[in-house]
Amino acid sequence: MHILVVEDDTRLVRLLKRLLGQDRHIVETAMTAAEGLEIATSNLELDAIVLDVGLPDKSGFEVARELRRKGSQVPILMLTARDSVSDRVEGLDSGADDYLVKPFAYEELLARLRALGRRPPTRKSAALRAGPIELDEGTRRVAVAGKSVDLSQREFSILECLLRRPGQVLSRDQLLDYAWPYGVALTPNTVEAYIHLLREKLGDPAAAQIETVRGVGYRLREG
Ligand code: CA
């Protein structure tokens, strides 16, 4: 795991860095809230943040709140000094996923981090929609009016390309480049054939969402 430790106790930071490193984790450290926020918002590869509540510039609660406000979904394990109910509640309210009371056993920290790493992302991947068509880029599933439709990989890519640019006219070449990114020599007629298949699979009235723009290409009707 790639872990950020935000903690101003130098001894604890050094210890965690060494132990987590021995367990083959990649560890970044920050001694202040500002530094922690900067690393957390610029590093998209982080798997977890170990966040101390008592930091010199801002509290860990504020850091967690700010990260969530900025859309970060990285699991946060909060380190609190006291086992007080109000601290725990505030920690979880601020967007932390779990908390650990100091002093703690290293094994327990590891176990909590492992549990956080296994947790599925809290938000579902965004679905692209037009009329009755719904395409989920995460699961690669397409549904029309809630009923799932089986598409080939190319059909899926063409539909995805159109859904990503609703209302825009896309040329056959643009669709070719998107669905066949490796420069396979194909004629624009191939795109026509795939659009035909795609409309058949989507069925009426969903098929009407894909409009032909004569002599140019295709456009996805919005809404
Ligand atoms: Ca502290």
Side-chain angles (χ1 to χ4, degrees), residues 7-9 52-55 102:
E7 164 67 78
D8 59 331
D9 176 342
D52 183 33
V53 169
L55 294 166
K102 289 181 184 177

Side-chain angles (χ1 to χ4, degrees), residues 19-163:
L19 292 173
L20 289 167
Q22 278 170 6
D23 284 331
R24 296 169 183 275
H25 295 291
I26 302 165
V27 185
E28 317 247 4
T29 57
M31 308 283 283
T32 63
E35 210 187 322
L37 276 168
E38 175 160 356
I39 296 174
T41 48
S42 61
N43 194 327
L44 304 173
E45 310 273 280
L46 283 179
D47 296 306
I49 300 173
V50 176
L51 179 60
D52 183 33
V53 169
L55 294 166
D57 44 347
K58 269 183 198 173
S59 78
F61 302 132
E62 287 171 276
V63 174
R65 252 180 242 122
E66 200 161 328
L67 282 174
R68 295 303 183 234
R69 225 182 8 250
K70 287 179 172 162
S72 166
Q73 297 179 44
V74 182
I76 297 174
L77 175 62
M78 200 84 102
L79 300 181
T80 68
R82 297 155 294 154
D83 186 15
S84 81
V85 176
S86 63
D87 268 16
R88 265 182 280 164
V89 171
E90 186 167 5
L92 298 175
D93 265 358
S94 66
D97 299 86
D98 199 359
Y99 67 92
L100 200 53
V101 179
K102 289 181 184 177
F104 53 85
Y106 174 67
E107 291 308 321
E108 182 163 15
L109 176 85
L110 267 190
R112 301 286 180 100
L113 284 174
R114 270 199 300 271
L116 288 181
R118 277 196 299 267
R119 210 168 277 186
T122 41
R123 262 173 255 171
K124 287 205 292 187
S125 57
L128 299 171
R129 283 195 183 84
I133 306 170
E134 194 179 318
L135 179 149
D136 189 315
E137 294 184 299
T139 59
R140 297 190 70 80
R141 277 163 70 169
V142 174
V144 172
K147 273 173 106 176
S148 139
V149 177
D150 276 331
L151 296 183
S152 72
Q153 198 192 322
R154 302 303 180 200
E155 290 158 357
F156 181 93
S157 296
I158 288 175
L159 183 62
E160 184 182 41
C161 185
L162 287 162
L163 282 165

Side-chain angles (χ1 to χ4, degrees), residues 150-218:
D150 276 331
L151 296 183
S152 72
Q153 198 192 322
R154 302 303 180 200
E155 290 158 357
F156 181 93
S157 296
I158 288 175
L159 183 62
E160 184 182 41
C161 185
L162 287 162
L163 282 165
R164 279 185 173 178
R165 298 163 186 77
Q168 266 182 54
V169 181
L170 297 171
S171 70
R172 292 177 188 81
D173 282 335
Q174 280 175 304
L175 290 166
L176 265 184
D177 287 344
Y178 188 90
W180 286 267
Y182 305 109
V184 190
L186 293 166
T187 67
N189 286 342
T190 315
V191 174
E192 262 168 61
Y194 271 93
I195 293 277
H196 181 78
L197 279 172
L198 192 54
R199 282 182 177 142
E200 268 190 356
K201 287 195 180 176
L202 294 174
D204 284 327
Q209 297 286 141
I210 302 172
E211 298 174 332
T212 302
V213 183
R214 271 191 180 284
V216 190
Y218 301 93

